[in-house]
Amino acid sequence: MAPPDASNKDLPQSIHSKLPAASTNDNMPLNRTPPTVELNALPAMVYTYTINHADGSSDFPYVSEYCQTMFGFSADLLMAHPELLMNAVHKEDSERFTKSVVESMQNMTVWDFQFRMLHKDGNVIFVHGKSKPELIPESVGEEIITLTKWSGVLFDMTIQEKNNQARRAEMRL
């Protein structure tokens, strides 16, 4: 059986009849949720992170609300104080973490890194981060500066890591 085409004419009538009517407003289709609401519903921290090439400063212009669950900090707090998240990288992973970010920035390659962080309550969490960098020119007065901007996601892998550790321990017995 061939897949349905984009016109929906091949969809079963029971499904086709439940599809929303076409929107009369081309700018916002019916039944569409703003993207930030959808991002905040994901069980991961979605973010935008930038580094200013001129002075080395960095910030989080966007952080999804899941950061409260994942790290114990509100999105507003992390956007105002990005050092809170950077300082939460486990001290044993800090050097590897920094090296991975620098390599991603220098080579403009996807950042894909697994590491440990500390939740605000002090518990260690296992994190898998993945983001894509891009160079962004930005006007500051009469000067043009360059930013590297990563758009990415951090996943809490703690449960999976603890399960893996338990399996490895069982295998050694």
Side-chain angles (χ1 to χ4, degrees):
M1 180 174 172
D5 70 16
S7 69
N8 294 326
K9 71 180 181 182
D10 293 333
L11 286 175
Q13 191 58 35
S14 61
I15 294 173
H16 191 9
S17 66
K18 294 178 182 170
L19 294 174
S23 171
T24 56
N25 178 353
D26 291 335
N27 295 329
M28 186 67 155
L30 292 176
N31 300 324
R32 291 295 304 207
T33 306
T36 53
V37 173
E38 292 172 356
L39 291 176
N40 285 326
L42 294 174
M45 188 184 102
V46 178
Y47 65 91
T48 302
Y49 176 68
T50 63
I51 293 180
N52 179 326
H53 290 222
D55 64 12
S57 63
S58 64
D59 70 337
F60 286 99
Y62 175 77
V63 177
S64 67
E65 292 175 7
Y66 194 75
C67 63
Q68 180 72 53
T69 301
M70 197 163 168
F71 300 109
F73 297 111
S74 72
D76 288 337
L77 185 62
L78 288 180
M79 287 186 283
H81 300 283
E83 70 278 3
L84 290 172
L85 199 57
M86 295 306 175
N87 292 338
V89 174
H90 194 282
K91 65 182 179 181
E92 293 177 12
D93 295 340
S94 182
E95 189 176 320
R96 286 186 323 109
F97 173 84
T98 301
K99 183 180 177 187
S100 72
V101 173
V102 169
E103 286 177 3
S104 174
M105 183 171 74
Q106 289 174 340
N107 300 322
M108 295 308 291
T109 53
V110 169
W111 179 74
D112 188 349
F113 193 67
Q114 294 184 33
F115 58 109
R116 293 167 292 176
M117 294 187 76
L118 297 176
H119 188 280
K120 182 180 172 183
D121 66 11
N123 287 320
V124 173
I125 59 173
F126 293 82
V127 177
H128 184 178
K130 194 164 189 173
S131 60
K132 182 180 178 190
E134 64 180 308
L135 290 177
I136 306 290
E138 187 170 284
S139 296
V140 177
E142 295 181 16
E143 186 180 354
I144 302 286
I145 61 168
T146 302
L147 304 173
T148 297
K149 177 181 93 170
W150 286 266
S151 299
V153 63
L154 296 178
F155 295 100
D156 183 348
M157 304 298 291
T158 305
I159 293 171
Q160 293 87 336
E161 181 61 28
K162 288 184 178 185
N163 288 340
N164 289 340
Q165 289 173 356
R167 277 190 221 107
R168 286 191 296 269
E170 285 177 8
M171 292 173 77
R172 281 179 276 200
L173 297 178

